[in-house]
Amino acid sequence: MIGSSRPTALVTGGSNGAGYDVARALLADGYVVVLHARTAEQSWDAAQRLVDSGADPTRVHPVAADFAHLDEIVLLTRQIAAEHPVLDLIVNAATIVGTDRCVITENGSELAVQVHRLAPILLTRGLVEPMSRASAPRVLWHHDGISVVPAQRRGAD
């Protein structure tokens, strides 16, 4: 939020699980929370649940980007930087449920690697400027339930 005297945090994967819990705790600690989910519907739904549980609606800012699509992350960083010129904290909590098969994204990366590693790095790099304006910027990674699926060799039975 432009001109906010409160610290601002971006929480990815904020629609449920650990990301939602982190967002709720940060709101209780007085943060403005930029609440990320894969879709706008998921983000707005999570924001409403937080407000319904007592969060100040002026401090919950839902945003959306599908981390399976790197171009959406670039657009998200531009949106966040424009709306929040100072960003104190990024909590990377977006995750996907593991599968027993390798899924390759349109960007040529394995899906779990892209969601858990590449997307958060791209997001953080795109937010260096607003982070540099914070007095003590931090980036935290929180991923539970991550599973690594071994790649199968071509031609293997």
Side-chain angles (χ1 to χ4, degrees), residues 10 12 36-38 63-81 90 92 94 105-107 109 111 113-127:
L10 166 63
T12 69
H36 162 266
R38 185 172 50 85
V63 296
D66 186 342
F67 281 13
H69 305 282
L70 296 179
D71 57 333
E72 289 189 28
I73 298 162
V74 172
L75 294 174
L76 178 63
T77 62
R78 291 177 185 157
Q79 176 189 354
I80 293 170
I90 298 173
N92 290 304
T105 69
E106 65 188 24
N107 302 103
S109 303
L111 180 61
V113 171
Q114 183 163 315
V115 170
H116 298 139
R117 297 292 181 254
L118 300 178
I121 291 168
L122 180 61
L123 182 74
T124 302
R125 286 191 57 144
L127 294 171

Side-chain angles (χ1 to χ4, degrees), residues 3-4 9 12 14-15 19 22 39 47 58 70-71 78 80 82 85 87 93 96-97 100-101 107 110 117 147 150:
S4 176
T12 69
S15 62
V22 167
T39 68
T58 66
L70 296 179
D71 57 333
R78 291 177 185 157
I80 293 170
L87 190 59
I96 59 168
V97 178
D100 60 352
R101 61 187 179 87
N107 302 103
E110 197 282 322
R117 297 292 181 254
S147 63

Side-chain angles (χ1 to χ4, degrees), residues 21 24 47 50 55 59-60 85 95-96 100 103 108 117 123 126 134 144 146-147 156:
D21 293 340
R24 184 174 49 214
L50 289 166
R59 293 194 292 117
V60 183
T95 190
I96 59 168
D100 60 352
V103 176
R117 297 292 181 254
L123 182 74
D144 56 358
I146 294 176
S147 63

